[in-house]
């Protein structure tokens, strides 16, 4: 879309006639996509992803079309091959990219899907540059970090902006300012800001204002140093978002503003919140959105429409009941490993006005002898996704128990595969049934490798990834829960239900209620005579958002709630 079209569209979208915005139209530089860069200082884990998502939410609530992209300075092409202990959950997009878990926050807050273009790593940048070098595209030049790597970073930073689909692109830079590996990204931001011209981009620096208990004081020095470092790289931040445990007094804001060269209203307090879903409202109170719009020379006349968000928060904070769900997995020491699942429970809990307490249970610690005790007091069990054989028998024991006890069960990906194995062993009597992922020579491979996977050698980016269609069986629980007969869900796996066993399963009461219409892969299994026993080969947690809690999670929570009432 050319700039003029973009402007007309932009005005229409805001409900204005172009003539209402004469001043806006008059300045041609104001009609292009605007860019916001979010950097982090002092320490990692300050929550750049949440701040970016919260700002995006506020801008979206004022009628702007916003997306967020993340640039990660590590050399992996994507986080798909990273161990969850290293990197937390791997988030999968509709188009099948394996990405950073922050993209999950972006989608949960904005309710707009992201894509492969929303997450770029150093590895991807270098791979593109090296491929071009091999093609001879650099015409005999020496290929260098500046300009070739920085040019490739800038090209990637602009891809989403060039689609014409967005008014504002927020770019989150992973890592902390000062890290050696993030330097080319910072330099690319410096250059891009210059190219975009004034008023078309801004830099938000997220920093920490620590409280020293012994001195009884909040300290600004780390922020000053971190801004100084950004200045050394040629970047003057426009806005400082200060993470803090205590409110920032006016005097302290003034001091930060003076020493870091920003307006006082550009010193934004980001106080610790009881839930990440409070952060957009905290940022609204601090007028972060207004400051951003004025610096980007964009009109802010639409008041933010956050009714749905506030309604969600109201229900989240005033539950009328409480349930306990066991999350059985093997990465339970690290809460980020199952981030989307725990967030989906928050959405589903709010929908049911019910507090969902998620108790993580290490599957390696579950055995036939202790399973009753391990699952005591729970109202439902979710068996998590995963890879490899560690902890698999504990998952199977947990499933046997909840199947027999008629306790609500929800299996995701490997969790669904374990439910199939358990049913084969304990109901069909196929004692050695297994997935060939765990035992290649099993006599009864009820979970086998997908045909298309058999030839694959490389591990990275080669699973069955992204969105696939699934048809739901009439009269099944799945069809009732979704309220439709055709759905799409996101996948990330290599193994599948072995259809040669399907008849046996269905005769014994485990039915395939979701089937891929193109290749007949079983996507959902459920038990006929059980209040809630559902396993999905896909990852429903990746599509649960504040605005659209996932129906499988909503109904699982409802089932656990009625189980708890009957108890
Ligand atoms: N390891 C299993 C597979 O590859 C399940 C994957 C998952 O749980 N995401 O099929």
């Amino acid at each position: 879309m050319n700039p003029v079209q973009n402007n007309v569209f932009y005005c229409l979208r805001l409900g204005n006639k172009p003539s209402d915005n004469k001043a806006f139209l008059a300045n041609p530089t104001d009609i292009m996509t605007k860019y916001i860069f979010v950097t982090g200082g002092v320490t990692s884990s300050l929550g750049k992803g949440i701040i970016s998502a919260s700002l995006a939410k506020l801008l979206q609530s004022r009628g702007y079309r916003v997306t967020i992209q993340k640039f990660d300075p590590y050399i992996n092409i994507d986080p798909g091959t990273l161990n969850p202990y290293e990197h937390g959950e791997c988030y999968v997009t509709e188009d099948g990219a394996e990405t950073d878990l922050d993209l999950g926050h972006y989608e949960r807050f904005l309710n707009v899907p992201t894509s492969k273009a929303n997450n770029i790593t150093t590895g991807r940048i270098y791979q593109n540059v090296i491929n071009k070098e091999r093609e001879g595209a650099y015409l005999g030049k020496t290929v260098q970090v500046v300009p070739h790597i920085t040019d490739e970073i800038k090209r990637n930073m602009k891809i989403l902006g060039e689609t014409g689909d967005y008014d504002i692109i927020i770019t989150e830079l992973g890592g902390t300012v000062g890290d050696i590996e993030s330097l080319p990204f910072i330099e690319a931001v410096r250059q891009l800001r210059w190219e975009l011209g004034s008023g078309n981009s801004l830099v938000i620096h997220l920093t920490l204002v620590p409280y020293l208990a012994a001195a009884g004081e909040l300290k600004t020095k780390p922020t000053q140093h971190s801004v100084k470092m950004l200045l050394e790289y040629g970047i003057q931040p426009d806005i400082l978002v200060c993470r803090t445990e205590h409110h920032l007094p006016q005097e302290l804001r003034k001091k930060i503003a003076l020493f870091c060269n920003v307006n006082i209203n550009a010193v934004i307090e980001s106080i610790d919140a009881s839930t990440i879903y409070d952060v957009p409202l905290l940022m609204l109170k601090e007028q972060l959105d207004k400051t951003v719009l004025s610096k980007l020379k964009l009109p802010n006349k639409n008041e933010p429409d956050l009714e749905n968000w506030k309604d969600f928060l109201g229900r989240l904070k005033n539950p009328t009941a409480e349930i306990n769900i066991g999350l059985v997995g093997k990465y339970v020491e690290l809460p980020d490993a199952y981030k989307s699942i725990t967030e989906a429970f928050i959405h589903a809990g709010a929908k049911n006005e019910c507090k969902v307490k998620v108790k993580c249970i290490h599957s390696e610690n579950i055995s036939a002898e202790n399973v009753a005790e391990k699952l005591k007091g729970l109202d439902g069990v979710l068996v998590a996704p995963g890879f490899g054989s560690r902890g698999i028998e504990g998952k199977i024991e947990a499933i046997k128990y909840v199947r027999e006890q008629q306790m609500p069960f929800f299996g995701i990906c490997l969790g669904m595969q374990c439910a199939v194995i358990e049913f084969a062993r304990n109901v069909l009597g196929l004692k050695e049934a297994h997935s060939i992922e765990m035992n290649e020579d099993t006599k009864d491979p009820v979970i086998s490798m997908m045909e298309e996977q058999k030839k694959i050698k490389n591990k990275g980016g080669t699973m069955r990834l992204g969105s696939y269609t699934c048809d739901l069986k009439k009269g099944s629980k799945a069809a009732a829960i979704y309220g439709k007969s055709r759905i799409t869900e996101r996948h990330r796996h290599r193994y599948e239900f072995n259809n040669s066993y399907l008849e046996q399963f269905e005769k014994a009461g485990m039915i395939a209620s979701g089937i891929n219409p193109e290749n007949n892969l079983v996507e959902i299994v459920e038990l006929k005579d059980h209040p809630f026993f559902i396993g999905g080969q896909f990852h429903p947690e990746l599509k649960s958002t504040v605005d659209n809690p996932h129906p499988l999670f909503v109904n699982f929570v409802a089932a656990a709630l009625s189980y708890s009432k009957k108890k």
Side-chain angles (χ1 to χ4, degrees):
M1 193 179 279
N2 73 32
V4 176
Q5 276 177 317
N6 197 9
N7 183 53
V8 171
F9 180 79
Y10 171 80
C11 293
L12 292 175
R13 194 180 37 71
L14 287 178
N16 305 332
K17 295 187 291 300
S19 56
D20 288 346
N21 254 323
K22 280 211 187 80
F24 184 60
L25 265 174
N27 182 352
T29 60
D30 283 343
I31 54 184
M32 54 195 288
T33 303
K34 307 278 183 167
Y35 287 84
I36 299 171
F37 301 97
V38 181
T39 58
V42 183
T43 169
S44 57
S45 304
L46 289 182
K48 284 195 295 284
I50 302 297
I51 291 294
S52 303
S54 300
L55 171 60
K57 183 77 218 168
L58 294 180
L59 297 171
Q60 184 194 53
S61 75
R62 287 179 178 274
Y64 286 98
R65 300 169 307 158
V66 192
T67 190
I68 317 173
Q69 54 189 11
K70 180 156 194 205
F71 282 64
D72 276 312
Y74 51 74
I75 294 174
N76 304 63
I77 299 291
D78 60 44
T81 53
L82 288 175
N83 186 321
Y85 288 123
E86 283 281 311
H87 194 261
E89 167 191 281
C90 175
Y91 188 79
V92 180
T93 57
E94 286 289 298
D95 62 352
E98 296 176 286
T99 70
D100 185 79
L101 57 76
D102 272 343
L103 272 77
H105 292 308
Y106 309 161
E107 290 201 12
R108 288 187 280 273
F109 276 51
L110 295 181
N111 199 34
V112 176
T114 53
S115 70
K116 189 176 174 189
N118 291 72
N119 191 197
I120 306 285
T121 65
T122 292
R124 183 106 72 91
I125 298 287
Y126 271 78
Q127 189 179 50
N128 292 348
V129 169
I130 291 168
N131 288 345
K132 280 190 207 162
E133 188 275 334
R134 292 289 82 184
E135 285 162 18
Y138 295 113
L139 304 173
K141 289 262 182 244
T142 308
V143 180
Q144 296 180 293
V145 173
V146 181
H148 302 99
I149 294 296
T150 46
D151 280 354
E152 182 61 16
I153 295 174
K154 286 189 288 178
R155 190 182 71 78
N156 278 273
M157 282 178 171
K158 289 186 292 189
I159 287 175
L160 287 169
E162 284 162 357
T163 60
D165 293 340
Y166 305 103
D167 306 310
I168 302 169
I169 310 278
I170 300 179
T171 303
E172 181 193 340
L173 292 191
T176 307
V177 168
D179 296 347
I180 293 175
E181 55 187 15
S182 49
L183 272 176
F185 292 92
I186 305 270
E187 169 59 11
V189 170
R190 188 195 65 74
Q191 292 183 18
L192 196 53
R193 295 201 69 191
W194 182 84
E195 287 168 19
L196 290 164
S198 82
N200 293 322
S201 76
L202 62 83
V203 170
I204 298 178
H205 188 54
L206 177 62
T207 171
L208 176 71
V209 178
Y211 179 76
L212 285 196
E217 267 182 60
L218 286 163
K219 291 294 184 187
T220 66
K221 196 75 84 190
T223 297
Q224 293 179 43
H225 280 289
S226 155
V227 170
K228 212 178 224 172
M229 201 173 291
L230 260 184
L231 285 168
E232 274 174 32
Y233 303 143
I235 292 181
Q236 165 67 56
D238 302 277
I239 295 175
L240 299 175
V241 175
C242 305
R243 281 298 307 273
T244 173
E245 289 169 26
H246 298 269
H247 287 294
L248 299 183
Q250 196 63 5
E251 274 312 301
L252 195 118
R253 291 183 192 234
K254 253 194 212 158
K255 185 173 169 188
I256 294 175
L258 176 67
F259 288 121
C260 299
N261 229 4
V262 297
N263 301 337
I264 184 144
N265 67 356
V267 178
I268 304 287
E269 169 189 291
S270 172
I271 198 145
D272 289 356
S274 61
T275 153
I276 55 170
Y277 298 104
D278 270 338
V279 180
L281 297 182
L282 292 173
M283 291 302 106
L284 181 70
K285 211 165 132 216
E286 286 285 304
Q287 305 199 331
L288 175 62
D289 53 332
K290 275 193 178 170
T291 307
V292 161
L293 290 175
S294 99
K295 286 189 188 294
L296 291 177
K297 303 201 183 88
L298 288 170
N300 68 359
K301 56 184 171 183
N302 281 13
E303 278 311 306
D305 176 6
L306 290 164
E307 278 323 300
N308 283 350
W309 195 270
K310 287 182 186 162
D311 178 55
F312 158 76
L313 273 177
R315 280 180 288 116
L316 178 66
K317 291 184 176 180
N318 300 291
T320 53
E322 187 175 295
I323 54 164
N324 292 293
I325 298 291
L327 170 56
V328 177
K330 65 175 179 180
Y331 305 112
V332 291
E333 305 87 342
L334 186 81
D336 272 1
Y338 301 118
K339 194 77 202 160
S340 293
I341 292 177
T342 48
E343 296 304 315
F345 273 126
I346 292 176
H347 310 151
K351 184 85 183 170
N352 283 287
E353 294 182 13
C354 163
K355 183 170 176 59
V356 182
K357 284 182 137 177
V358 178
K359 183 179 171 205
C360 292
I361 303 168
H362 207 304
S363 54
E364 272 184 303
N365 300 338
I366 300 177
S367 64
E369 292 71 45
N370 69 13
V371 63
E373 176 216 329
K374 288 274 176 202
L375 305 186
K376 206 168 121 198
L378 296 178
D379 306 305
V381 166
L382 185 149
V383 176
F387 296 84
S389 53
R390 185 166 68 90
I392 201 88
E393 294 303 325
K395 289 182 176 178
I396 294 169
E397 281 304 336
I399 295 169
K400 176 172 188 280
Y401 182 83
V402 296
R403 181 177 54 77
E404 289 172 349
Q405 299 297 315
Q406 300 271 300
M407 188 194 281
F409 164 77
F410 189 9
I412 297 183
C413 209
L414 182 61
M416 170 267 201
Q417 297 175 354
C418 288
V420 169
I421 299 166
E422 190 279 320
F423 195 83
R425 288 185 189 174
N426 300 322
V427 180
L428 303 182
L430 309 172
K431 289 292 169 218
E432 287 167 50
H434 221 320
S435 160
I436 64 162
E437 180 181 6
M438 322 304 163
N439 176 3
E440 256 184 276
D441 307 316
T442 174
K443 213 171 94 204
D444 285 300
V446 286
I447 302 293
S448 60
M449 186 172 258
M450 287 183 283
E451 250 343 282
E452 72 221 43
Q453 287 287 329
K454 289 184 180 157
K455 299 167 259 78
I456 290 173
K457 294 261 177 312
N458 279 356
K459 293 271 184 270
T462 56
M463 280 188 253
R464 181 178 183 231
L465 290 166
S467 187
Y468 287 93
T469 306
C470 168
D471 282 346
L472 304 177
K473 194 173 255 172
K474 246 196 184 148
S476 67
K477 279 196 194 94
I481 286 171
Y482 279 94
K484 48 186 169 186
S485 57
R486 175 162 279 197
I487 57 162
T488 59
E489 290 285 2
R490 296 186 203 169
H491 295 250
R492 184 176 189 244
H493 62 115
R494 289 188 206 282
Y495 300 87
E496 58 159 325
F497 184 94
N498 184 344
N499 273 333
S500 51
Y501 290 88
L502 184 56
E503 219 186 293
Q504 256 181 293
F505 273 81
E506 296 211 314
K507 268 196 196 138
M510 178 176 270
I511 62 157
S513 53
I515 303 275
N516 179 304
E518 270 139 47
N519 51 20
N520 272 337
L521 289 185
V522 172
E523 310 284 30
I524 307 180
V525 293
E526 62 182 57
L527 283 186
K528 273 192 202 149
D529 41 7
H530 192 288
F532 192 107
F533 190 105
I534 295 183
Q537 185 57 80
F538 46 78
H539 291 263
E541 72 277 19
L542 304 176
K543 283 178 77 166
S544 185
T545 69
V546 167
D547 283 349
N548 265 325
H550 196 286
L552 284 175
F553 276 87
V554 172
N555 280 269
F556 176 55
V557 167
L561 195 54
S562 30
Y563 182 88
S564 87
K565 283 179 186 153
K566 273 192 218 135
K567 245 188 344 193

